[in-house]
Amino acid sequence: MKRVVSAEEMRAYEQKRFADGRASSLDWMERAATGVNLLLQTRYPQKSVLVVCGGGNNGGDGFALLRLLKERGVECGGALLAEPERLAGDARTNYLRALDSGVHFFSGLTKELISEYDVLVDALFGTGLSRAITGAFAEAINAMNASGKPIVAVDLPGGVEATTGAVLGVAIRANETVTFEFFKRGQLLFPGRELCGEVVVHPLSSEPDEGEADVVLIERSDIQRLLPSRPINSNKGSNGRALLCAGSERYTGAALLCTGAALRTGAGLTTAAIPGALKPSFAALPEAMAIPANNGTDWDEEACQAAIALFPKQNAVGIGPGVGEGTILPLIEALLKSGMPAVLDADALNQMSRSPELLTKLHSNVVLTPHPVEMARLCGLSVEAILADPIETARRFAKQWNCVVLLKGATTCISNGSTVRLNTSGNPGLAKGGSGDVLTGIVTALLAQGLCAFDAASAGAYLLGASADTALELLRERMLLARDVIDAVEQTIRG
């Protein structure tokens, strides 16, 4: 997992490095410029480059980059959006070095100047920006965006706030962003994530001091480590028993989706407790045990008691997908009282929001999987406040409720109350009905196979978001269904 830092954390990290003599600001500017130079050399060979520079340290990176470009014979120029005489410190040093190497600087930025170069580099603000961009800087950003030219951002697109990803007035829309040492939160949260394009992390030190990383980015290799090994002599009983309490006559598909996902994720025995009217629909999932909890079309007290009776034989329980307005509060209360590993999603969350005393009964084996609107109902914040700071929202309420919160979104934030894991796998195709139902099935199955709640939620979020090929490769033998064997018999005989 890769460390993700706020603007304040990055400043503290740099100051500590400089104070103990392990690095200097001037040296790090040189290394930062080297990282951007390498990307330009790789991605845009034989292309002319215009570096648009501000007057601070980000501009200093740009000045150092111009000298490196000049030294390797690249046609380049600098557009300076600051008064040369007001440059100070390391930025001034690199500006003078660039001049000495023969770099030509233009005062300000015009459309005509932009048209003379193939690639634009944004070295305007970096992580230090804290106020809205106006005036000449706003005009420059708009002109760069409107040019249609490829834009490479140095550390962070100008106008994107480093910690929240918010746009401060206007912002560069980059094709690539070369950031340094660690990911910044604003590069992974929206709208900043969309404006960064591809983010390339370039190291500034040979041995980055990871320290106590309380926000991290989940990677594919992490999921490979989290998934438990499956011995060749394992059996259905040893691979976990998962119970899904889901569905109603109106939302039959939700029950089928979450149950099918649990099967594919490798639960050895998967049971669906459903309103009786849904039983015929489960002919589509013969590998699952579909237990009619009543004779009706929706959840009621009778169905809750029938499902509760199934708890003792299960390793994990998921409740909520497609339940609708049926009564499941007794079911939720009994599950929380049992202490079993559990996933609460969708209508389970909505009903809990109307009975907030249940929040006090949550425990560390429980995963809540709200989207921002559901989270707003649960915690009493506005949707806007949640979207403005999803990392700290997930952390705060996971700690307050003593559970794992998986706050869904294009960047999903998963927290156990201390650490926050960010998941960015996936694509807009998941923004449709049913994706949350699948997530519930995946996480419930992983809990049933022995993963702790935090790891099950993290792996589940990644697997849902990952492309089909990646998910199937990671799950491997877990996703094999009996029907797959039937389908393969003819091929096997012929082979």
Side-chain angles (χ1 to χ4, degrees):
M1 298 184 188
K2 296 294 186 183
R3 184 179 180 185
V4 181
V5 299
S6 66
E8 182 179 354
E9 289 169 333
M10 190 64 200
R11 282 193 293 272
Y13 174 81
E14 290 174 338
Q15 290 167 4
K16 179 181 178 182
R17 284 273 176 163
F18 300 158
D20 64 19
R22 288 186 289 172
S24 71
S25 174
L26 190 61
D27 180 48
W28 273 23
M29 278 189 183
E30 188 72 12
R31 296 186 187 189
T34 299
V36 182
N37 183 40
L38 179 62
L39 182 136
L40 290 169
Q41 188 173 9
T42 304
R43 305 284 178 89
Y44 302 103
Q46 286 84 51
K47 300 293 184 181
S48 59
V49 179
L50 177 66
V51 183
V52 185
C53 303
N57 285 343
N58 200 246
D61 296 339
F63 302 148
L65 171 64
L66 281 162
R67 175 176 50 79
L68 296 178
L69 292 171
K70 196 72 173 178
E71 288 175 355
R72 67 179 178 91
V74 175
E75 181 185 348
C76 62
L80 182 57
L81 275 67
E83 297 296 329
E85 60 272 15
R86 301 188 65 177
L87 297 174
D90 295 332
R92 178 172 178 79
T93 297
N94 274 319
Y95 173 70
L96 295 175
R97 287 178 176 178
L99 287 176
D100 288 342
S101 69
V103 173
H104 179 72
F105 284 93
F106 302 89
S107 179
L109 184 67
T110 64
K111 293 180 181 179
E112 291 73 23
L113 178 59
I114 290 174
S115 68
E116 296 177 11
Y117 292 87
D118 300 319
V119 180
L120 308 178
V121 173
D122 159 30
L124 288 170
F125 298 109
T127 61
L129 185 67
S130 59
R131 62 180 183 274
I133 296 173
T134 59
F137 286 103
E139 292 174 4
I141 288 174
N142 287 331
M144 293 169 72
N145 286 340
S147 70
K149 302 289 180 73
I151 302 176
V152 177
V154 178
D155 207 8
L156 202 75
V160 173
E161 206 280 326
T163 299
T164 66
V167 172
L168 300 179
V170 296
I172 289 289
R173 182 176 293 275
N175 296 80
E176 295 95 4
T177 296
V178 182
T179 197
F180 309 117
E181 207 76 335
F182 309 115
F183 283 101
K184 314 305 182 292
R185 292 190 190 185
Q187 294 163 345
L188 301 174
L189 299 175
F190 284 84
R193 178 179 160 190
E194 184 178 10
L195 295 169
C196 287
E198 179 186 353
V199 179
V200 177
V201 181
H202 180 75
L204 299 180
S205 53
S206 56
E207 296 180 359
D209 182 7
E210 290 290 340
E212 292 297 325
D214 64 346
V215 180
V216 294
L217 175 65
I218 301 170
E219 298 184 297
R220 174 186 167 87
S221 58
D222 302 317
I223 304 308
Q224 290 173 319
R225 288 192 296 270
L226 291 179
L227 291 175
S229 60
R230 177 156 289 193
I232 194 169
N233 64 342
S234 63
N235 57 62
K236 61 184 181 182
S238 64
N239 288 330
R241 300 168 184 261
L243 172 65
L244 284 309
C245 303
S248 59
E249 185 176 47
R250 185 176 180 183
Y251 301 113
T252 303
L256 290 167
L257 285 168
C258 68
T259 305
L263 287 166
R264 286 290 189 187
T265 310
L269 290 168
T270 301
T271 301
I274 52 174
L278 275 63
K279 174 68 173 178
S281 300
F282 272 76
L285 281 179
E287 297 87 356
M289 292 176 287
I291 306 297
N294 62 14
N295 293 320
T297 59
D298 295 291
W299 282 83
D300 55 17
E301 182 73 31
E302 177 188 355
C304 288
Q305 295 306 315
I308 292 168
L310 299 173
F311 286 179
K313 294 184 178 181
Q314 309 302 321
N315 299 113
V317 180
I319 298 178
V323 167
E325 294 301 315
T327 301
I328 57 169
L329 285 177
L331 181 61
I332 297 171
E333 187 168 8
L335 179 58
L336 296 181
K337 185 177 180 180
S338 75
M340 292 178 64
V343 182
L344 299 176
D345 180 45
D347 296 310
L349 301 176
N350 293 333
Q351 294 195 29
M352 285 181 69
S353 69
R354 298 192 290 269
S355 299
E357 69 278 2
L358 288 175
L359 294 171
T360 65
K361 300 179 180 182
L362 295 170
H363 53 80
S364 59
N365 284 329
V366 175
V367 179
L368 305 184
T369 61
H371 55 58
V373 174
E374 292 166 340
M375 189 67 183
R377 296 190 191 112
L378 283 170
C379 70
L381 296 178
S382 68
V383 174
E384 291 74 20
I386 291 168
L387 293 175
D389 197 355
I391 290 175
E392 295 308 327
T393 298
R395 192 201 317 261
R396 170 187 169 187
F397 288 99
K399 182 176 182 179
Q400 180 175 319
W401 296 332
N402 187 33
C403 66
V404 171
V405 171
L406 188 162
L407 181 54
K408 292 184 282 196
T411 296
T412 294
C413 302
I414 308 123
S415 182
N416 60 358
S418 176
T419 300
V420 180
R421 293 172 177 169
L422 305 181
N423 177 62
T424 60
S425 70
N427 56 66
L430 290 171
K432 60 183 67 171
S435 295
D437 306 322
V438 171
L439 177 64
T440 296
I442 292 173
V443 178
T444 304
L446 293 173
L447 286 172
Q449 292 172 72
L451 271 71
C452 71
F454 194 26
D455 287 348
S458 303
Y462 183 93
L463 290 171
L464 176 69
S467 68
D469 288 345
T470 300
L472 292 178
E473 183 179 344
L474 284 172
L475 291 171
R476 299 175 66 177
E477 68 271 15
R478 286 176 173 77
M479 47 69 62
L480 185 70
L481 298 186
R483 78 180 74 160
D484 298 325
V485 177
I486 296 172
D487 293 342
V489 169
E490 181 180 357
Q491 297 176 35
T492 303
I493 293 173
R494 288 183 177 179

